[in-house]
Amino acid sequence: MGKIHSRIGTAADVAAVIEIARAMHAGSRYSRLPFDAERLRGLLAWLAGHGDGLFLVTVAEGEIVGALAACAVEHPWLSAQAANAFELFVRPEHHGGVIGARLLKGYIAWAREMEIPGELITASEQQGHGSSAYTACGFKPTGNVYACEEAR
């Protein structure tokens, strides 16, 4: 792989990120649920245009190979801001490489610039990919996410 760099995403990047998300969705535990490209388009546009949002992309050889969507919010019971990465998008052929870690490091740097304490910089990893990238970047599991597979 040639030169790799990360940068803030723009409206021109959204279509490529949607295609990465669509491919990830097809191979995920959520594949039985409908993929909503317009919802994702709206989220990425909001993040790109909002001061507390982050839409980060990684480009290799002129092509977007990954993205990260995150935002900063007021913590619900602390007098502090918290940051959460909603999703890490990496082209399936790049899983296990450096793309995820590069995006996570960019996210951490962004959160630190916003003076968010480390313990309030979180990421949601629900697709089943990327756990090694999270731990390599210093994230530690802090609890469990419970998903109700079928409501009773």
Side-chain angles (χ1 to χ4, degrees):
M1 188 177 330
K3 184 171 170 31
I4 302 171
H5 69 280
S6 295
R7 61 173 171 73
I8 298 298
T10 68
D13 301 323
V14 171
V17 174
I18 287 172
E19 290 314 306
I20 295 169
R22 188 183 312 276
M24 288 178 62
H25 174 264
S28 77
R29 63 187 231 131
Y30 302 109
S31 62
R32 67 180 185 84
L33 301 171
F35 180 79
D36 190 337
E38 290 309 308
R39 181 178 294 248
L40 179 55
R41 184 182 317 282
L43 171 66
L44 296 176
W46 183 85
L47 292 172
H50 195 274
D52 289 335
L54 176 65
F55 172 33
L56 190 63
V57 297
T58 295
V59 179
E61 298 178 10
E63 191 173 342
I64 294 175
V65 294
L68 184 136
C71 76
V73 296
E74 290 299 317
H75 191 278
W77 64 85
L78 299 174
S79 295
Q81 276 199 309
N84 184 50
F86 305 122
E87 190 61 70
L88 178 63
F89 305 100
V90 177
R91 283 181 170 242
E93 62 269 25
H94 291 285
H95 288 173
V98 299
I99 305 303
R102 179 177 289 272
L103 288 161
L104 287 167
K105 287 177 183 176
Y107 162 60
I108 293 167
W110 169 81
R112 294 236 187 262
E113 285 176 16
M114 297 184 70
E115 300 181 355
I116 296 174
E119 61 271 22
L120 296 180
I121 301 172
T122 62
S124 301
E125 198 282 313
Q126 297 179 31
Q127 291 280 1
H129 307 292
S131 59
S132 61
Y134 289 96
T135 56
C137 291
F139 288 91
K140 294 177 178 37
T142 57
N144 294 309
V145 174
Y146 294 92
C148 181
E149 296 293 327
E150 292 186 30
R152 296 178 195 242

